[in-house]
Amino acid sequence: AVDIGFSQDMIVHHEQAVLMAQLVRGRTADPKIAALAAGIESDQLLEIGTLRGYLALWDAPVLPAGPPMTWMADHQHGAAMPGMATTAQLNRLRSAKGAALDRMFLQLMLRHHEGGQPMLSDAAANAAIPAVRALASRMSFHQGEEIRTIQALLATTQPS
């Protein structure tokens, strides 16, 4: 249950990160933010493909049938997936420009990555299949690195 639930929920979580990266990548003037967005898009599309492959092998649906994160023992059932941007926030990101675009992207992505960490930690500890545990652990490490990069970039961007 952990392996399937994690794979399904992480696909949903990653798809939003890919969308946010795509919304900013071609519109930012900051090469560091463009590189960060391109890296997030590339890495998470690859991970989505891996997770979809696992689900296909297990003959499991790509989308969860019920509320998110029910596979996690410590999650409050019915609670929203942490770190997800709202439709209103995504719409503001779509229309933002310049420094406001950069700062909004960094803030949303920081919250998004931090919100995904509990899922990654839980799967790394509790998935039944070693390859899923290893993938979750690698994803957690990599996103931790991106969190530090985002924090450093936020420290150098102007508040809007």
Side-chain angles (χ1 to χ4, degrees):
V2 170
D3 302 76
I4 291 172
F6 164 72
S7 297
Q8 292 169 330
D9 284 346
M10 195 50 64
I11 287 170
V12 171
H13 206 264
H14 271 18
E15 284 176 342
Q16 188 179 77
V18 168
L19 171 64
M20 289 191 290
Q22 289 171 338
L23 288 173
V24 79
R25 188 171 43 87
R27 298 172 44 226
T28 182
D30 186 323
K32 291 178 184 174
I33 293 175
L36 173 69
I40 289 169
E41 179 182 5
S42 174
D43 292 344
Q44 294 203 5
L45 282 172
L46 180 62
E47 291 165 357
I48 287 169
T50 300
L51 295 167
R52 283 178 172 266
Y54 289 159
L55 292 168
L57 284 172
W58 304 327
D59 199 27
V62 172
L63 295 176
M69 301 168 59
T70 55
W71 54 274
M72 291 178 65
D74 293 338
H75 182 68
Q76 291 181 331
H77 298 302
M81 196 179 296
M84 296 293 280
T86 65
T87 301
Q89 289 170 323
L90 292 172
N91 287 336
R92 284 196 298 277
L93 184 62
R94 278 183 181 92
S95 62
K97 293 179 178 26
L101 170 72
D102 294 347
R103 189 153 185 85
M104 186 180 306
F105 169 70
L106 293 171
Q107 290 169 335
L108 289 173
M109 192 57 71
L110 177 62
R111 198 177 100 228
H112 192 85
H113 273 8
E114 289 173 341
Q117 285 296 324
M119 284 193 291
L120 296 170
S121 296
D122 193 284
N126 299 312
I129 299 170
V132 176
R133 289 194 307 269
L135 176 63
S137 182
R138 282 192 311 272
M139 291 164 73
S140 179
F141 174 81
H142 188 72
Q143 287 191 17
E145 293 292 311
E146 286 177 347
I147 285 169
R148 286 183 280 289
T149 298
I150 291 167
Q151 288 168 333
L153 288 168
L154 273 170
T156 63
T157 61
Q158 296 297 320
S160 45

